[in-house]
Amino acid sequence: MAHQWRGVIREYADRLPVTENTRVITLGEGGTPLVYAPALSEKTGNEVYLKVEGMNPTGSFKDRGMTMAITAAVEAGAKAVVCASTGNTSASAAAYATQAGLKCAVLVPEGKISMGKMSQAIAHGADIIQINGNFDNCLEVARKLSENYPVFLVNSVNPARIEGQKTGAFEVVDFLGDAPDYHLLPVGNAGNITAYWKGYQEYASAYTNTAGVELAAVASKTPIMWGFQAEGASPIVKGHPVTEPDTIATAIRIGNPASWQQAEAARDESGGLIDSVTDTEILAAHRWLSSREGVFVEPASAAGVAGLLKHHAAGNVPTGKKIVITVTGHGLKDPDWALQKLDGSAVTPTKVDFDVLAVAKALDLA
Ligand code: AN7
């Protein structure tokens, strides 16, 4: 009988801060496909794989961390949770809080979250507060709210989130049989690059878990980490916070990432880099993924692929390597970007009468 995936906490219980008595809040997250990308592989002369995180229950990688954060909130006796979000965290928090029976408040930047994500938070009954400011302002308020009121913070400044998200690295290694040579991903608040690096490190050496049991190393090495911010929201690249972050990739429209130092540590300890890509490069990569690999993502999710193409064009990418790129969220989160051509002109379906010959002609079959 095929193995049925039980969600990241149960699959990786021996490497997560849970016990037998923990009430696990899960929607079956994780176990996402690692998809071979033929066109990127051919273009760059490497073996390129996509970790397709849009396949998670709420359509983004956030679910890996949220199963742990909401489980921890329940364990701590919380009655309500709060998060700041560019959209995906709020969708995920709202869903997991619902299963746990917790109230959920989400603070989002006004006008800068996609309709798909907003609809999820509404559908799951979250209290949605639009803040007249950006994500960084929202996070500051969420932190202070949790310090002064009885609400449990589920942003990635909560270590439980990082613990859950590190399972992405475990899955990559479990699938490939070892760590890849390179791991590329988008960087916004920098929780995910922090989490992947933690997961890769824990898998590459003996690890003593929370029960005091020593687990053997699973991987022989760790990958080189390449992270990519959007150019208009690239504080780590610039070396200073950006007060007015601006990019079409609203998910990573973040000017002062909470895990800034951890992201720099991942970069430096792995011998990697954190660079930026323009909105034009992001949209080209978004289109590449949908039209050449068969993988539909939201714009921010394409930043890692944009980074690979940028550095390949600059001659910085070796050949013959295994490269994994996390594509973080589903294309249906923000589908408008697929509805126009790259030059901005509209894509209009061909209209014909209901007649086989007319359809055959329209398809160049007759
Ligand atoms: C699709 O939902 O910050 O560097 O509030 O939604 O770990 O922040 C989302 C971030 C990449 C960046 N791709 O990851 C939020 C939020 C997508 C995202 C990122 C986000 P981090």
Side-chain angles (χ1 to χ4, degrees), residues 319-342:
T319 55
K321 303 292 185 190
K322 268 192 189 148
I323 300 178
V324 170
I325 311 177
T326 302
V327 290
T328 42
H330 204 287
L332 295 175
K333 292 270 191 179
D334 198 2
D336 287 359
W337 295 103
L339 298 178
Q340 54 182 18
K341 296 184 188 152
L342 279 181

Side-chain angles (χ1 to χ4, degrees), residues 59-62 83-91 107 117 135 155-156 161-162 165 185-194 250-252 254 257 298-302 327-330 333:
S60 86
F61 73 99
K62 302 287 182 183
C83 67
S85 182
T86 58
N88 280 323
T89 300
S90 63
L107 311 185
K117 299 170 191 176
F135 169 84
N155 279 107
S156 58
R161 280 278 309 279
I162 304 296
Q165 283 176 213
L185 76 174
V187 173
N189 209 27
N192 214 25
I193 190 170
T194 301
T250 54
I252 54 173
I254 294 174
E298 63 168 291
S301 301
V327 290
T328 42
H330 204 287
K333 292 270 191 179

Side-chain angles (χ1 to χ4, degrees), residues 50 66 113 126 179 265 282:
L50 304 168
M66 204 54 71
I113 110 163
I282 288 172

Side-chain angles (χ1 to χ4, degrees), residues 1 8 10 19 25 28 37 39 62 83 96 147 167 170 173 192 213 224 226 235 240 250 268 270 294 319 321 336:
M1 204 162 70
V8 299
R10 293 201 176 98
T19 70
I25 308 299
K62 302 287 182 183
C83 67
Y96 284 79
E147 284 161 15
T167 60
F170 295 167
V173 174
N192 214 25
V213 178
I224 294 167
W226 283 10
H240 59 78
T250 54
D268 298 342
S270 75
T319 55
K321 303 292 185 190
D336 287 359

